[in-house]
Amino acid sequence: MRTNLLSGALLAATLWSSPAPSQTIPTSARLATAKLAESKGDLAAAEQGLREALAEATGSDREAVAAALRDLLARQGRSVDAPAGARVQEPAADDPIQRLIATIDRGSWTDPSIANAIGQLQSLGGLVVPHLLAALPQLGPFGLNNTLSLLGDHDDARIAPALERLLDTAGPEVWTAIAGRLHQLQDAVARPLATYFAAKATDPQVLAGALKVLIRRDPGAPSTRHLALRLVGDAKGNVAAEVLAAMRDVRVPWADEVLRAVRDHGPAELRAEATLRWVQNDATLAEATVLPFVEAIADARVWLCSEIVRTHTDWVHVGLLGLRAVRKDTQALTDLVSRVEWWRLPEQSGPALLDLPLERTESFQAVATELGNLVGRGWQVAPPHDAALAEVEAKQNRWHVFVAALPADAEPRATAVWETLSPAARAGLVHAVAQAGRPWHGLVVRHLASLDDFASVSPVYLDRDWTGASPDAVRTLESLAARWAQMGRFEQPRTNVTSVGPNAANDTRALDALVAGYRRNRALPSTVLTPLASAGFQGAWFALMERDPRAAVQTVAAAEQLRVYEASSLLSSLPAIGTEADVPLALRAVAVMPAVPVSTAQPMAAFLARHAPGNVATIRLASMPTVVVPAPWHLELAEGAARHARIEDLAELLQLLPSLERQCADQLARTLAAQVRPEHGGLLLAALTTCAARTQQTSSALQAPIDRHDLLMRLLDLVARCGDAKALPSVEALMASPSEETDVVQQAATTALAIAGPGRAALVRRMLGDTNPTVVTAALGAEDLRTDAALRDLARAAVLRIGDRIENAGRAFAALDEADQVNLALAVVGDERFPRFKDELCQRALQCLGGSKDASHLSQLVRGAAHPSYRVRLVAATSLGNTFSREAAPQLLDLLKDDNEFVQKEAQKALDQIASYLDARAKWEARLR
């Protein structure tokens, strides 16, 4: 049915929009059009359309139109015979809409039957509006209230006029009911009604309802402003509160006028809120402008000030007004205290905060925090408030805040507070004083004197800057140090141990702190630490060594034995402060310490070298008894001293030499070798004789005394450098001894040649005729061979004699001129024993012949190419190539087939060298023709 009506309505609308003159509109379309007009609230148009359709309809269509007209009129409380627009006072008994309206007039919507009726009426949508408006004059309070609720869903233009007509004759209760519902009505309905109320109403409650709508719907209208000012100026407090509430979320240009009116003339209970809103709305206001208005408000001042400084945290004067108004500790006070930037006016804010009656933890914590902030920014408390601030900070255990709040010269004030405190609080206060570095030495010393022993002393009391300490304070510290020295157990065993244990079971942190305070500056004399150092407290001794080292040295100079830490400290300090007189003490310290770092060893070595160069006692540190092995750093010191050994101590040093560690003995021998002179020959000969008589001894240990072999070598070198010919028989005896090792024999031969003097030539002849190849080889290096042809002949014969045993063939050639070297080489290669000679001798001979680049030696080189040793053949191939002779090619070609690949490569290289030479020569000869 609904679809048919809608289709008919659309058809009718189409046809009526441009009807043809002879066209007839269908009855269904007329019915649909009437229904559409009624749904829009145009009942007159609906009635007119149905009456016109009824006049034209026939048959069944006429009956349908007549029924529709009757129903339309019945819904309006009219009959078919009534004229158009006429109203019937009594509704038709059988009209369902009228029955529903009658039902909602009987009670509240909380009644299920009434709620059901309201729901049915709501389901009609806009169709219910004319019925509700028609029923308004007959409705009671329930009906009016429920009808207003139903009308709130519609913006029908007829609603406002209908309600205005009702108001024209209604009593004040209806005015109040409708005014209270204005904010629930649609804008098209509420705005004209609010304007109506503003013009005609006198009841403030009614006007307040109208203002709520106008502020929201038409805030810029002059009438809205006028109404607001009228209400806040004349109405009671509850109406003014409603006005302020209505303005809260709407920004209107005249809001400040209303707020100022309430602020200045409104009810007392609203002035604080109006003042706050005024401040919040105007960001340009200055604190000085606002302050008088806040002062005029008494009861709500704490709350008002707290709210104002929520955004204006820098308005300290407003905050102070709030603090002075406090009657009890409230949340508003807590908020107020935590929001203001009190540091902007510290001299006023600090005392004001301290004067607050603090009872609750929240407010106390806020106040304590702000006081701490003030102190952190440099605020200092005045004397009358010392006790109050101390009470606050004692609860917080923040004595550092209290100390920081006092001026630097306030020691008497701090002492006065200290006297009133418990022992624990006293410790906290003095601890804060010490941590802050305040020069209140009298207070600190007074507190120290009140304690039983140093174990209960906080280190911070003593590790501080004692500058400015009075003589009385210093004397008190000296007596305390003496008492603490007697109480402590610091003594370390005076023995040569490697480990240094703790001072004692005592807690010595306080003593460490006193030492640290002593180190800071010279305000404390050394006498403060002397008792502790004497008692064996290491820290005190180190501090004395650092500042007053001579006094520290004197305290241990007379001791029979040094403590380990004393010895260690002396080794570190004496290089910088010691003198020649301290060398014995330094050596005692060295004896105590089996090991030290390099950073200590090197300066000590320099100290000993500077003040006791070559000191025999220092060198003796490297002595190697059978049961004690010197520490490595002892050896370093001894070796350093050995570098500066003095020839004046030669006798003592030669006696010490056999017991020294090998490396140190070597260094000593080298040092003496640069200083020995012929007059020392007797001492050296005696030492050599003693050493030669010793039994053989060797050692593979890293640290071991020099053995007989090495000692003989060093002594022979010293004898050679001395040059005393008196030692020649003893040296020749060593050279001829069949039991001596080869290098000793060689060194003896070299020494013999060095000291032989005028009999040198005869010695060379004897040595060349010796059966020992080592002796012969030594003689082959004698410079005499260069000038003495007879010696050269003997040397050549000796080389051929020991050619199969010679070890250092180079010596046989080194002492000769080039021609003599070639003659010796020809003799070696031409000898029938050449294949059995040592490889080195054969190689030297071939190198000498090849180096001459003489093709006349080709036959000798060819013989070398046939040597059994590939090493010799290798040199022969190189030497053949050096001749650059075509005649060398056949032998080199044979060497290409040698069993040794290295010989083959060298032969190929030699062939390439000769070929390159011959090609280049041919080219140049052709070019020069």
Side-chain angles (χ1 to χ4, degrees):
M1 180 63 182
R2 175 177 177 83
T3 304
N4 292 336
L5 288 176
L6 180 58
S7 300
L10 293 174
L11 177 61
T14 304
L15 294 175
W16 286 1
S17 62
S18 57
S22 61
Q23 186 178 14
T24 301
I25 301 174
T27 301
S28 59
R30 290 179 177 275
L31 291 174
T33 302
K35 192 68 173 177
L36 182 61
E38 181 182 5
S39 67
K40 293 182 177 181
D42 193 354
L43 301 181
E47 182 180 350
Q48 180 182 356
L50 290 174
R51 288 185 183 278
E52 291 175 356
L54 182 62
E56 297 176 2
T58 59
S60 59
D61 288 343
R62 180 177 178 81
E63 292 180 0
V65 174
L69 180 60
R70 282 196 304 274
D71 291 341
L72 175 64
L73 296 175
R75 284 192 291 273
Q76 301 177 51
R78 300 164 55 203
S79 64
V80 177
D81 299 331
R87 297 177 62 183
V88 178
Q89 298 299 322
E90 296 297 333
D94 58 346
D95 188 341
I97 296 178
Q98 298 302 319
R99 286 198 301 273
L100 291 173
I101 293 175
T103 299
I104 67 173
D105 197 25
R106 293 201 299 267
S108 170
W109 61 270
T110 55
D111 186 326
S113 62
I114 295 175
N116 181 51
I118 292 174
Q120 292 186 60
L121 291 173
Q122 283 178 328
S123 68
L124 293 175
L127 295 176
V128 77
V129 173
H131 299 282
L132 293 174
L133 296 179
L136 277 175
Q138 289 79 35
L139 294 177
F142 284 115
L144 176 61
N145 191 56
N146 292 331
T147 297
L148 290 173
S149 296
L150 290 169
L151 292 176
D153 296 333
H154 306 283
D155 59 355
D156 194 309
R158 294 169 297 175
I159 297 175
L163 290 175
E164 289 179 7
R165 289 193 296 272
L166 178 63
L167 290 171
D168 287 342
T169 60
E173 66 280 357
V174 175
W175 285 64
T176 303
I178 295 176
R181 289 281 188 168
L182 277 181
H183 65 284
Q184 298 176 354
L185 299 177
Q186 297 295 319
D187 189 59
V189 178
R191 288 181 63 183
L193 284 175
T195 305
Y196 177 89
F197 281 131
K200 296 186 176 183
T202 57
D203 186 351
Q205 253 347 98
V206 174
L207 291 173
L211 181 63
K212 292 178 183 179
V213 174
L214 292 175
I215 287 178
R216 187 173 68 251
R217 310 285 170 78
D218 196 8
S223 58
T224 306
R225 168 182 171 276
H226 176 74
L227 179 58
L229 291 172
R230 173 185 168 190
L231 286 175
V232 298
D234 301 334
K236 295 181 180 180
N238 57 340
V239 176
E242 290 186 29
V243 174
L244 293 179
M247 293 173 56
R248 178 167 288 112
D249 299 325
V250 180
R251 300 292 298 177
V252 292
W254 42 265
D256 284 352
E257 296 182 64
V258 176
L259 294 175
R260 285 195 293 269
V262 179
R263 180 197 68 193
D264 298 337
H265 308 294
E269 62 273 13
L270 295 180
R271 290 183 181 179
E273 181 180 355
T275 303
L276 175 63
R277 295 271 296 281
W278 167 58
V279 173
Q280 291 173 338
N281 288 351
D282 190 350
T284 64
L285 289 174
E287 183 182 22
T289 304
V290 176
L291 198 61
F293 296 98
V294 179
E295 289 177 339
I297 297 172
D299 294 339
R301 185 180 296 170
V302 177
W303 171 84
L304 175 59
C305 293
S306 178
E307 291 299 317
I308 289 176
V309 298
R310 186 188 293 272
T311 54
H312 296 280
T313 58
D314 58 333
W315 287 11
V316 183
H317 290 291
V318 172
L320 291 172
L321 278 179
L323 291 185
R324 298 189 187 103
V326 170
R327 296 292 183 271
K328 60 181 180 178
D329 195 357
T330 64
Q331 183 60 45
L333 171 60
T334 304
D335 296 339
L336 174 64
V337 170
S338 60
R339 289 170 181 168
V340 180
E341 296 173 357
W342 303 107
W343 52 268
R344 295 182 180 276
L345 289 176
E347 299 306 324
Q348 298 181 39
S349 301
L353 290 170
L354 288 173
D355 288 339
L356 289 175
L358 302 175
E359 298 174 359
R360 293 177 57 185
T361 304
E362 294 84 355
S363 297
F364 173 82
Q365 186 60 49
V367 170
T369 299
E370 294 306 319
L371 287 171
N373 292 338
L374 287 179
V375 174
R377 289 178 174 268
W379 171 70
Q380 292 184 334
V381 66
H385 298 284
D386 287 351
L389 181 60
E391 181 181 357
V392 171
E393 301 309 332
K395 293 178 181 178
Q396 297 284 101
N397 196 23
R398 298 193 315 182
W399 287 108
H400 64 281
V401 175
F402 175 77
V403 171
L406 294 175
D409 59 352
E411 182 178 9
R413 291 166 56 185
T415 303
V417 170
W418 178 83
E419 291 176 344
T420 65
L421 301 176
S422 65
R426 285 182 173 184
L429 173 57
V430 177
H431 193 274
V433 168
Q435 280 191 323
R438 290 298 178 93
W440 298 346
H441 309 300
L443 174 59
V444 173
V445 170
R446 183 172 180 180
H447 183 73
L448 289 174
S450 68
L451 303 177
D452 294 333
D453 55 47
F454 62 82
S456 60
V457 174
S458 174
V460 76
Y461 297 166
L462 295 165
D463 184 8
R464 58 197 310 270
D465 185 356
W466 288 93
T467 301
S470 66
D472 289 341
V474 172
R475 283 192 292 271
T476 302
L477 275 181
E478 290 174 344
S479 63
L480 285 172
R483 179 157 61 93
W484 293 341
Q486 295 174 358
M487 296 168 59
R489 298 184 300 278
F490 315 116
E491 186 66 30
Q492 287 293 322
R494 294 177 181 271
T495 180
N496 296 348
V497 296
T498 58
S499 62
V500 180
N503 281 316
N506 294 327
D507 184 353
T508 61
R509 287 176 296 178
L511 303 185
D512 294 331
L514 177 60
V515 171
Y518 169 83
R519 279 193 168 106
R520 280 194 177 203
N521 51 64
R522 298 187 177 275
L524 296 181
S526 299
T527 51
V528 171
L529 295 188
T530 301
L532 294 172
S534 299
F537 185 61
Q538 297 182 29
W541 197 84
F542 288 137
L544 287 175
M545 196 69 182
E546 178 182 319
R547 183 196 291 185
D548 193 359
R550 296 313 310 174
V553 169
Q554 291 174 2
T555 60
V556 297
E560 293 182 2
Q561 287 183 313
L562 296 176
R563 300 180 178 97
V564 174
Y565 69 85
E566 292 170 343
S568 176
S569 180
L570 286 171
L571 293 178
S572 300
S573 303
L574 284 178
I577 66 168
T579 64
E580 184 177 356
D582 295 318
V583 170
L585 180 61
L587 292 175
R588 288 175 56 203
V590 169
V592 170
M593 298 300 296
V596 296
V598 175
S599 59
T600 299
Q602 291 177 347
M604 178 53 63
F607 167 78
L608 292 174
R610 183 169 63 251
H611 293 292
N615 184 280
V616 177
T618 306
I619 299 175
R620 190 173 282 111
L621 291 172
S623 181
M624 302 280 292
T626 57
V627 294
V628 178
V629 178
W633 88 285
H634 292 172
L635 300 179
E636 292 178 12
L637 293 180
E639 186 175 348
R643 292 191 185 95
H644 305 283
R646 298 169 298 182
I647 197 65
E648 292 81 2
D649 300 322
L650 181 61
E652 187 175 1
L653 292 174
L654 288 175
Q655 291 180 357
L656 181 61
L657 185 62
S659 66
L660 294 180
E661 184 268 342
R662 179 184 298 123
Q663 189 170 346
C664 183
D666 287 344
Q667 179 60 61
L668 178 60
R670 287 194 296 271
T671 303
L672 293 176
Q675 302 180 62
V676 293
R677 297 183 296 276
E679 59 265 28
H680 301 131
L683 293 174
L684 294 174
L685 178 58
L688 181 63
T689 303
T690 302
C691 181
R694 291 172 58 185
T695 58
Q696 297 284 357
Q697 62 172 17
T698 58
S699 174
S700 60
L702 293 178
Q703 294 182 15
I706 187 169
D707 56 21
R708 176 184 178 279
H709 167 272
D710 291 341
L711 182 57
L712 274 177
M713 296 289 287
R714 305 303 178 267
L715 290 174
L716 285 170
D717 179 65
L718 289 173
V719 170
R721 293 175 182 274
C722 172
D724 187 0
K726 295 177 182 178
L728 185 58
S730 298
V731 174
E732 286 195 80
L734 283 173
M735 183 174 62
S737 174
S739 61
E740 295 296 343
E741 297 181 31
T742 299
D743 52 352
V744 172
V745 172
Q746 182 178 353
Q747 182 65 42
T750 303
T751 302
L753 290 172
I755 66 175
R760 180 182 175 89
L763 176 63
V764 172
R765 291 189 186 91
R766 292 197 302 273
M767 292 175 66
L768 289 173
D770 202 293
T771 59
N772 190 334
T774 303
V775 176
V776 176
T777 302
L780 290 174
E783 289 293 329
D784 305 74
L785 300 180
R786 192 179 300 274
T787 58
D788 192 330
L791 289 179
R792 287 197 297 272
D793 293 339
L794 291 175
R796 185 165 53 251
V799 169
L800 297 177
R801 188 176 74 252
I802 65 170
D804 57 344
R805 295 174 293 160
I806 192 169
E807 294 298 335
N808 188 0
R811 292 177 65 89
F813 291 90
L816 301 177
D817 292 332
E818 183 177 354
D820 293 328
Q821 290 181 6
V822 172
N823 291 332
L824 178 61
L826 291 172
V828 170
V829 176
D831 194 281
E832 62 180 5
R833 292 167 297 174
F834 174 70
R836 299 192 300 275
F837 284 167
K838 287 280 190 176
D839 286 359
E840 182 189 6
L841 178 60
C842 298
Q843 289 171 317
R844 289 281 186 177
L846 293 173
Q847 287 172 347
C848 180
L849 295 176
S852 67
K853 297 180 176 58
D854 189 347
S856 64
H857 301 148
L858 193 61
S859 60
Q860 287 82 6
L861 296 178
V862 169
R863 189 180 185 196
H867 196 279
S869 173
Y870 82 91
R871 296 183 180 86
V872 177
R873 296 199 302 273
L874 190 67
V875 175
T878 302
S879 299
L880 284 169
N882 288 338
T883 65
F884 299 101
S885 173
R886 188 186 304 273
E887 288 74 13
Q891 186 62 38
L892 289 172
L893 290 173
D894 290 341
L895 289 176
L896 290 178
K897 296 179 289 185
D898 197 275
D899 295 337
N900 188 275
E901 61 175 335
F902 297 106
V903 175
Q904 296 172 13
K905 291 179 180 179
E906 192 61 31
Q908 183 63 57
K909 180 178 177 182
L911 285 170
D912 294 340
Q913 180 177 333
I914 294 173
S916 298
Y917 168 74
L918 293 176
D919 288 345
R921 180 176 178 177
K923 290 178 181 179
W924 278 105
E925 287 177 348
R927 183 178 299 180
L928 295 173
R929 284 176 186 171

